[in-house]
Amino acid sequence: MKPAMSRQKQNALTRVEVLVAIGVLIVLLGLLLPGLSRQTRLKSKRIGCFSNLKAIGFTIRFLATDHNDQFPMQVLTNKTKSFKYLQAEEGIRYWQAMSNGLSIPKQVVCPADKRKVATNFAQLQLENVSYFLGQDAAEDRPQALLVGDRNLTANGVPLKPGLVKFTTNVTLGWTATMHQHKGNVILGDGSGMMPDTLRMSDHDGTKWLLIP
């Protein structure tokens, strides 16, 4: 019996070894959990952003039902016959037109963006908006870009705010500012995408984006 018991003692972990193993696990968890927690927060913010954009897309399409199936961008530009005013602060009129469909101004700010939320839609300015608007989106252009994250790049170059015209050979991407070089987009038919890049040639002749 004694030799067998001796072998069992040799095979068993000592209390010190158990404590060392537990210590190693604690250290590893300490290293891994912050990274996992950060990724969880980033994912949560991106999902919240996508939810905002879906609400905006729905609102635009709902407003169209009262304006002969025209989106707000088409209605306003038809009145002015020009994109001229969009290069100034009046571009905010598009967003204020959505105030009846969106419950609070917070819905036009991405959770991952550092932009401040306006107190109300009457005081809303472009610096209180996180999303671009596609000026060419329409009911008969289902794949046109309607609305999406503002921190765009064109062929790798970050874009400045304003009304920007694109050609079909441009590939859009995003800076690391909000979703780590990824973006959220809603198309003219109301469907959503969460892409890394977008080729303008794939999106129903989209040429103009209003970037806040």
Side-chain angles (χ1 to χ4, degrees):
M1 293 295 295
K2 288 185 178 181
M5 291 178 63
S6 178
R7 284 195 300 271
Q8 288 177 2
K9 289 181 179 180
Q10 289 176 359
N11 293 333
L13 290 174
T14 65
R15 182 177 298 177
V16 173
E17 288 172 331
V18 171
L19 292 174
V20 169
I22 293 173
V24 170
L25 286 174
I26 291 173
V27 171
L28 289 174
L29 287 173
L31 293 172
L32 291 173
L33 286 178
L36 292 174
S37 178
R38 181 173 181 274
Q39 290 301 316
T40 299
R41 289 196 301 271
L42 290 174
K43 185 176 181 180
S44 175
K45 288 180 178 179
R46 191 176 184 191
I47 292 172
C49 173
F50 190 76
S51 177
N52 283 350
L53 287 170
K54 288 292 285 185
I56 293 168
F58 176 83
T59 297
I60 291 174
R61 292 179 59 78
F62 179 78
L63 290 173
T65 62
D66 292 329
H67 294 89
N68 298 316
D69 292 332
Q70 290 185 313
F71 293 165
M73 295 79 75
Q74 297 166 305
V75 175
L76 294 182
T77 52
N78 283 345
K79 288 181 179 180
T80 62
K81 303 298 181 182
S82 170
F83 283 116
K84 183 178 179 181
Y85 78 90
L86 291 175
Q87 298 178 39
E89 68 277 1
E90 285 188 295
I92 198 62
R93 290 170 61 193
Y94 288 147
W95 294 101
Q96 290 174 330
M98 302 180 210
S99 61
N100 290 335
L102 298 174
S103 57
I104 52 176
K106 188 176 181 180
Q107 286 182 287
V108 301
V109 178
C110 170
D113 200 350
K114 294 182 179 180
R115 291 198 166 186
K116 293 183 179 180
V117 177
T119 304
N120 52 58
F121 277 97
Q123 296 180 340
L124 190 73
Q125 300 296 321
L126 287 179
E127 54 263 33
N128 306 125
V129 178
S130 294
Y131 306 118
F132 71 74
L133 279 176
Q135 305 305 293
D136 307 290
E139 284 285 356
D140 58 354
R141 289 183 173 179
Q143 294 302 301
L145 302 181
L146 178 59
V147 61
D149 290 314
R150 67 176 177 83
N151 57 314
L152 290 167
T153 64
N155 294 336
V157 179
L159 296 175
K160 295 180 180 180
L163 184 67
V164 183
K165 186 177 182 179
F166 299 90
T167 58
T168 56
N169 63 348
V170 169
T171 297
L172 294 181
W174 285 269
T175 67
T177 305
M178 287 150 64
H179 305 300
Q180 302 297 302
H181 301 288
K182 298 179 180 180
N184 294 323
V185 171
I186 302 299
L187 303 178
D189 63 0
S191 62
M193 302 172 61
M194 303 176 78
D196 296 346
T197 59
L198 291 170
R199 294 185 302 177
M200 295 301 282
S201 58
D202 294 337
H203 294 287
D204 275 351
T206 300
K207 294 181 179 179
W208 296 92
L209 297 181
L210 177 63
I211 305 174

